[in-house]
Amino acid sequence: MTTVNIHEAKTHLSRLLERVSKGERIVISKAGQPIADLVPHRSAPVTIGGLKGQLTYDDSTFDVDVDIQRMFYGDDADAPA
């Protein structure tokens, strides 16, 4: 792990990012206090349908909520459109 000050980080950002891309961790400090970490990016896998079979709902899930309608449209929200 390497620590650099803000000025050095701004001046040598490309070099620092190259080092980070190779797995190094770099701490950016201000007045000797760490304020940020440069670490290699780790992409998170995206799973589509990951909760399939674990969630259930019925058609009432899509019904209009009268309270929410009132918040947007006032007391006349009870009247059908």
Side-chain angles (χ1 to χ4, degrees):
M1 179 175 69
T2 302
T3 301
V4 297
N5 64 36
I6 293 175
H7 176 73
E8 186 178 356
K10 290 191 315 185
T11 304
H12 302 291
L13 182 60
S14 294
R15 291 183 205 160
L16 295 174
L17 290 175
E18 185 65 32
R19 290 168 56 185
V20 167
S21 72
K22 294 177 182 175
E24 189 173 345
R25 180 176 178 211
I26 297 178
V27 177
I28 301 173
S29 297
K30 180 178 182 179
Q33 296 295 319
I35 59 169
D37 295 322
L38 290 177
V39 295
H41 175 72
R42 293 183 296 171
S43 60
V46 176
T47 304
I48 305 297
L51 294 175
K52 185 175 183 176
Q54 297 180 35
L55 299 176
T56 59
Y57 59 90
D58 59 23
D59 289 338
S60 69
T61 302
F62 302 103
D63 289 347
V64 174
D65 185 310
V66 176
D67 292 329
I68 292 175
Q69 289 291 99
R70 280 192 188 119
M71 287 191 304
F72 281 97
Y73 303 109
D75 290 330
D76 293 337
D78 291 335

